[in-house]
Amino acid sequence: MDTDLHQYTVAEVTKGFVYNELEAKGLFGLDGDLVIQPEYQRHYIYGSNGMDVDVIESLLKGYPLGLIYFVDTGAPKAPRLEVLDGQQRITSVGRFVTGKFAIQRDGREQTFSSLPAEVRRKIMDSELLVYRCSGTEAEIKEWFETINIAGVPLSNQELRNAIYSGPFVTAAKQRFSNAQSALQQKWAAYVKGDPRRQGVLEVALDWVSAPQELSIDGYMAAHRQDTDIYELRIYFDTVIEWVGSIFTAVPDSSMAGVEWGRLYETYHRSSYSADDMTVTMEELIDDSAVRNRKGIYEYLLGGETDTRLLNVRLFDEATKKKAYKRQTDAAKKIGVSNCPLCAVGSNANKTRSYSQKEMEADHVTAWSTGGETTLENCEMLCVSHNRSKGNR
């Protein structure tokens, strides 16, 4: 890959700047000759964390913004250049000079147009150091993979979008990466991830690729030149609708981030009573003994058989009562303590019979090694022995 160092002023780079508020994208600069956010680039994020203001403050203090990289695409007409690294900084400057946000100056908020003329000139005359790069697509994408933009590393999916850029990524981002879409609020009940950082798109791709025994990379490579995302869209929507049809109450916060794609593949051929599932789900959510609320959904879909999904470590009162009676009856027959550990000791408690209030329930096979919270795996121990036993 070849590189040539150039100097541009802010005025030159932001000439013809256009910002799309709905897609959070800075589109063009250099009077139409520069694509500021190619499809492989991440969406604009500096505005959400205050870093856009930091960029402007740096210019006002005369600090350099760091090296910026443009790609010379070799196109015969404009736009011939694309931003490879620096689009967050350029978009921040472009948004400020076109009045999209304000900074604090002299104790009050100031937009670009309200600044004194000499301050505006200082910003517009600030120089940006830019390397213009040319080379093969593979060379450029490999370089892009190595870049961290102003200390904000690219997410895995942002990197994939760069590597497999094309019509499929363009269409996929339009649907799954638009933070302004009304669908995002619905999806957020079940999916964890910032759409601007490609988190929702990553989940959608994971769901559709796994049943085909493909990685996300493999799926994107196979569909890179597709002009539509029909399969991806339909599969994602189907999973979301399936979940909503079974658990019909207002979604609980624990539903976000559950492996719904895997659960759909495993259980969608089974039938369920939505009313029964929802009632039981709400009971388990309110049960303080359930330590893993995210496991509730697979526990219910699987027929309520694998209690380990709930991380329930507490025995209910009925189980403790039965275990106590079983042990006490057996101990009385042979004249030993109803605490199994006292019974094998040599002190005065060897034959002591404890009341149920003096005993605590314990897992025979420890929970951490797969022991279930059932009557068969329950033993009652005196308080001293139970609390000294730990997780053995």
Side-chain angles (χ1 to χ4, degrees), residues 274-379:
D275 289 344
D276 291 345
M277 294 286 278
T278 299
V279 168
T280 309
M281 177 196 78
E282 293 178 332
E283 290 174 351
L284 291 172
I285 287 172
D286 293 335
D287 190 338
S288 60
V290 175
R291 306 286 186 88
N292 180 25
R293 287 166 60 187
K294 287 190 180 300
I296 288 173
Y297 311 103
E298 185 167 6
Y299 171 73
L300 293 175
L301 292 167
E304 302 180 39
T305 58
D306 190 354
T307 56
R308 285 175 295 182
L309 290 166
L310 304 178
N311 199 5
V312 177
R313 301 189 182 190
L314 302 178
F315 292 95
D316 59 36
E317 290 303 317
T319 299
K320 289 189 284 188
K321 185 175 182 179
K322 290 178 182 178
Y324 174 80
K325 184 177 186 309
R326 179 185 63 193
Q327 284 180 215
T328 303
D329 289 348
K332 285 181 178 178
K333 289 182 180 179
I334 56 176
V336 296
S337 174
N338 57 352
C339 170
L341 298 184
C342 287
V344 297
S346 57
N347 60 28
N349 292 330
K350 182 177 178 65
T351 59
R352 178 178 173 179
S353 182
Y354 294 90
S355 68
Q356 185 176 337
K357 292 181 180 180
E358 297 174 301
M359 305 186 82
E360 294 177 340
D362 184 59
H363 292 80
V364 179
T365 301
W367 172 267
S368 61
T369 60
E372 296 186 353
T373 308
T374 61
L375 177 61
E376 293 73 20
N377 195 42
C378 177
E379 67 176 353

Side-chain angles (χ1 to χ4, degrees), residues 173-278:
K173 287 176 66 177
Q174 286 175 349
R175 179 166 178 81
F176 293 103
S177 305
N178 183 359
Q180 304 302 317
S181 170
L183 289 170
Q184 294 290 349
Q185 184 175 359
K186 175 183 178 181
W187 296 342
Y190 309 109
V191 176
K192 268 190 174 180
D194 184 348
R196 295 168 300 180
R197 297 301 306 274
Q198 310 308 308
V200 178
L201 174 56
E202 183 173 39
V203 171
L205 288 164
D206 178 59
W207 287 2
V208 75
S209 61
Q212 301 178 38
E213 298 184 350
L214 291 172
S215 64
I216 294 178
D217 289 79
Y219 187 88
M220 293 182 72
H223 294 271
R224 181 175 183 178
Q225 299 305 324
D226 291 0
T227 56
D228 65 60
I229 57 166
Y230 179 81
E231 181 183 57
L232 176 64
R233 177 176 60 82
I234 292 298
Y235 192 90
F236 182 84
D237 289 348
T238 299
V239 173
I240 295 293
E241 294 302 324
W242 174 76
V243 178
S245 70
I246 294 174
F247 302 106
T248 55
V250 175
D252 183 73
S253 60
S254 61
M255 292 179 124
V258 170
E259 296 179 87
W260 293 117
R262 178 179 63 82
L263 297 184
Y264 172 79
E265 284 298 317
T266 305
Y267 299 108
H268 79 272
R269 294 177 181 84
S270 301
S271 62
Y272 302 95
S273 166
D275 289 344
D276 291 345
M277 294 286 278
T278 299

